[in-house]
Amino acid sequence: MKILIIRHADPDYEADSLTSQGWKEAELLAGRISKMDIQKIYVSPLGRARDTAGVSLKKMAQEAEVCEWLREFAPCIRRPDKEGGSIAWDWLPQDWTKIRECYDKDAWSSIDAMKSGNVQEEYAWVADSLDGVLARHGYVREGNYYRVERGSSDTIAFFCHFGLECVLLSHLLGVSPMILWHGTCAAPSSVTTLITEERRRGIAYFRMSSFGDVSHLTAAGELPSFSARFCEQYENASQRHD
């Protein structure tokens, strides 16, 4: 079985849609994935993800299942350096890296900042919902792997958001999402691929064969959009700061 996790194209957050560049990215993405044999597509309810998926769905003459749990990871927490609320997955490195629990797949959500936003409850909702989908396709969660009740060569796709993508990968790979939120960056319209490995009959694990692939952009001479990244050097005023 193959899972594709697809981030929405370059976003217009104010309109919850896509920029002109984003629509171009969505078209190039559609040209790529429409050639794949995808059995089922799931999409976030947010406009930027639905618009991205819509271009591919039209080209493929398919429909998607809209899933509330695929929306951007929503909990609001009290970040150490800020007054008021902040999204759970955007911290300064000098703050989160000094908290040992942030690196622990079981302890990261137990720190006070995460407790302030009921982050563990939201994480569990997403993880359980993902497992529900995988069970429908024949793979049932058992501990930290999946029991194969019905082996499949199906490909399924999730159109969602970077913060949420990291939660999905955290659950599938058994790592703290803090490492993924802050140590990776999936560009707009990028495709992450995981494939089952069944080395013993009935026992499967998902292995990530590619992360944040934007070959559909580079093949067309397009540079990936900057969204989700911060400045490479502080002095670069043209790139996004905190």
Side-chain angles (χ1 to χ4, degrees):
M1 182 180 180
K2 182 181 293 184
I3 295 174
L4 306 177
I5 304 175
I6 303 170
R7 188 187 173 201
H8 59 74
D10 192 47
D12 179 340
Y13 286 116
E14 186 174 340
D16 190 23
S17 184
L18 305 178
T19 64
S20 58
Q21 177 63 26
W23 286 109
K24 184 184 296 184
E25 291 173 353
E27 289 285 353
L28 293 171
L29 172 67
R32 173 184 180 179
I33 70 167
S34 63
K35 299 172 185 174
M36 301 178 182
D37 183 20
I38 299 176
Q39 281 68 45
K40 183 70 177 180
I41 295 175
Y42 303 88
V43 63
S44 157
L46 300 184
R48 53 194 183 271
R50 295 187 72 168
D51 286 344
T52 303
V55 179
S56 293
L57 291 168
K58 183 177 180 180
K59 195 174 186 68
M60 301 165 73
Q62 284 188 228
E63 294 185 357
E65 180 176 331
V66 179
C67 301
E68 185 68 23
W69 58 273
L70 283 175
R71 71 189 188 199
E72 184 55 287
F73 196 64
C76 187
I77 66 167
R78 293 192 299 272
R79 200 172 93 174
D81 66 309
K82 280 190 172 184
E83 294 292 332
S86 178
I87 54 177
W89 44 270
D90 181 17
W91 292 49
L92 293 177
Q94 59 264 43
D95 292 327
W96 79 268
T97 56
K98 68 183 179 184
I99 304 173
R100 179 176 52 83
E101 289 84 356
C102 286
Y103 293 89
D104 189 312
K105 70 180 181 67
D106 297 315
W108 68 275
S109 62
S110 68
I111 63 176
D112 289 342
M114 294 302 184
K115 287 182 179 179
S116 72
N118 296 318
V119 172
Q120 179 55 45
E121 289 83 352
E122 182 95 359
Y123 182 97
W125 174 51
V126 173
D128 289 346
S129 298
L130 171 62
D131 284 342
V133 168
L134 296 179
R136 285 159 54 184
H137 290 273
Y139 293 82
V140 177
R141 185 84 173 193
E142 190 166 290
N144 291 319
Y145 64 87
Y146 289 84
R147 186 177 72 254
V148 183
E149 290 196 341
R150 185 180 68 259
S152 171
S153 58
D154 286 355
T155 297
I156 62 174
F158 298 103
F159 281 81
C160 55
H161 312 262
F162 174 61
L164 192 282
E165 173 176 352
C166 291
V167 172
L168 301 182
L169 292 174
S170 165
H171 181 59
L172 290 170
L173 302 178
V175 297
S176 165
M178 291 292 283
I179 298 169
L180 298 167
W181 283 330
H182 299 284
T184 68
C185 185
S189 83
S190 63
V191 180
T192 294
T193 303
L194 299 101
I195 305 172
T196 48
E197 177 181 84
E198 189 180 351
R199 297 170 66 177
R200 293 291 186 274
R201 184 178 298 279
I203 299 174
Y205 190 76
F206 285 92
R207 296 191 70 172
M208 185 164 60
S209 62
S210 66
F211 174 83
D213 181 21
V214 290
S215 57
H216 54 285
L217 302 181
T218 54
E222 292 287 337
L223 292 176
S225 302
F226 197 78
S227 180
R229 293 175 57 197
F230 290 92
C231 52
E232 293 179 17
Q233 296 181 330
Y234 187 80
E235 292 78 9
N236 192 332
S238 66
Q239 294 179 345
R240 186 166 66 111
H241 288 61
D242 186 42

